[in-house]
Amino acid sequence: MVATATLPAPVGSNKQLEKKPIKFSNLLLGAGLNLFEVTTLGQPLEVVKTTMAANRGDSFGSALGRIWSRGGPLGFYQGLIPWAWIEASTKGAVLLFVASEAEFYARRAGANDFVGGITGGVIGGVAQAYATMGFCTCMKTVEITQHKMAASGVKPPSTFQTFMDIYRKEGIAGINKGVNAVAIRQMTNWGSRFGFSRLAEGWIRSVTGKKDGEKLGPWEKIMASGLGGGLSAWNQPIEVIRVEMQSKKEDPNRPKKMTVGNTFRYIYSQNGIAGLYRGVAPRIGLGVWQTICMVAIGDM
């Protein structure tokens, strides 16, 4: 279980492929890195992004004011405990393990760094979504979008009460509402992040004169991952759709049974193309920070 396999690289490459060992410490590494990411910058950026996606008429400034009114600085950490911590500790372990395995086998089959990175990220992202993320993202979004009840003078129910209410009314399907949108988001997120990061690593090697397969320095890895994370925000419409599907706001114009397709049409009819890209600025920041933590630091 802890042996490292070394195999010939694909044709045209002069480096050996080394399979990362499968061991418990690697799962702990993924969980620890994701917990660090979400507890530092991750959750505040997630809250801003989700608030803007759910309230598409808000500007960036008014979204910050809305969040601040919910509890000052602690408003930016709404949903962190327990849902973001549960999600981070499980999805981080799943991502590093599955993506590493998938990328290795893709490279062994002949894929280059870019295609191998995309393959690892896509498979790792899908595994994340269906294994751990569906109910966690749903509950985080519920907490972040409950502000209307508080604004009207009604005390929102506790997190556990909300969870049980959804479960009693809608069962497991209700708790996992929007999981298909989460899966599409995660596969495009991490496919883009790993793929663009590997592509940027190749560019950096070319500029600095490093040979194919030669290790990059820490700052070079961080630069490549930051670029990959920023470019991965191209799929922001999927994130806005996911937030809308999981939001608990009341709107008679919303479809009663929401799917990815009819949610897309609803958002477009209400807010046009601009509505599908609400929250893209904090999303870029979030993508950069997540990719530095999970790709650059994870590799190192």
Side-chain angles (χ1 to χ4, degrees):
M1 286 290 287
V2 297
T4 300
T6 303
L7 298 172
V11 177
S13 174
N14 58 5
K15 64 177 178 179
Q16 294 290 99
L17 288 178
E18 187 173 291
K19 187 176 185 295
K20 293 178 182 178
I22 303 172
K23 51 187 179 181
F24 186 65
S25 61
N26 284 358
L27 299 179
L28 289 179
L29 172 66
L33 285 175
N34 226 150
L35 278 170
F36 168 75
E37 174 270 317
V38 76
T39 307
T40 51
L41 296 177
Q43 190 62 13
L45 289 168
E46 174 77 22
V47 171
V48 175
K49 174 200 72 175
T50 302
T51 300
M52 293 183 71
N55 303 278
R56 290 181 293 277
D58 282 6
S59 66
F60 183 72
S62 59
L64 294 181
R66 185 188 293 272
I67 296 165
W68 186 269
S69 70
R70 297 203 296 256
L74 293 180
F76 290 89
Y77 285 90
Q78 195 168 17
L80 177 66
I81 302 171
W83 306 111
W85 275 5
I86 293 172
E87 179 188 316
S89 59
T90 52
K91 79 175 186 180
V94 169
L95 176 70
L96 279 198
F97 171 69
V98 176
S100 175
E101 290 290 296
E103 185 173 2
F104 172 78
Y105 286 110
R107 295 283 289 114
R108 190 177 73 170
N112 59 24
D113 287 346
F114 177 57
V115 175
I118 289 176
T119 303
V122 165
I123 295 175
V126 170
Q128 273 188 330
Y130 288 111
T132 69
M133 287 186 67
F135 77 96
C136 289
T137 58
C138 181
M139 295 311 301
K140 283 195 301 178
T141 303
V142 166
E143 284 200 24
I144 294 168
T145 57
Q146 272 183 335
H147 62 276
K148 286 189 175 180
M149 293 179 68
S152 64
V154 179
K155 185 180 178 181
S158 69
T159 299
F160 184 72
Q161 285 176 318
T162 303
F163 181 91
M164 292 308 299
D165 284 346
I166 296 172
Y167 180 76
R168 280 192 292 268
K169 291 176 183 175
E170 304 176 59
I172 293 296
I175 296 297
N176 281 283
K177 188 178 291 182
V179 70
N180 291 333
V182 173
I184 295 170
R185 183 194 73 173
Q186 289 305 101
M187 67 184 288
T188 52
N189 269 0
W190 288 108
S192 299
R193 289 170 184 174
F194 275 93
F196 286 137
S197 295
R198 300 307 184 216
L199 193 61
E201 288 173 11
W203 295 339
I204 291 171
R205 285 193 182 92
S206 297
V207 171
T208 57
K210 287 184 167 65
K211 296 178 181 177
D212 185 29
E214 187 176 345
K215 287 188 175 182
L216 300 178
W219 286 108
E220 292 170 328
K221 291 288 292 184
I222 288 170
M223 186 186 304
S225 293
L227 182 60
L231 291 173
S232 71
W234 65 268
N235 68 351
Q236 179 64 7
I238 296 297
E239 173 65 359
V240 176
I241 290 168
R242 190 273 303 174
V243 170
E244 187 63 44
M245 290 179 73
Q246 294 179 336
S247 172
K248 286 298 173 185
K249 70 180 184 181
E250 296 296 328
D251 183 349
N253 297 317
R254 282 186 4 144
K256 297 299 180 187
K257 185 174 177 60
M258 303 189 80
T259 64
V260 173
N262 66 24
T263 306
F264 173 89
R265 290 190 292 272
Y266 165 73
I267 295 169
Y268 181 78
S269 69
Q270 296 290 309
N271 307 100
I273 290 293
L276 291 162
Y277 283 90
R278 295 301 295 158
V280 72
R283 175 82 188 289
I284 290 171
L286 181 61
V288 168
W289 184 236
Q290 286 182 332
T291 311
I292 287 173
C293 288
M294 300 307 294
V295 179
I297 300 177
D299 280 352
M300 287 188 280

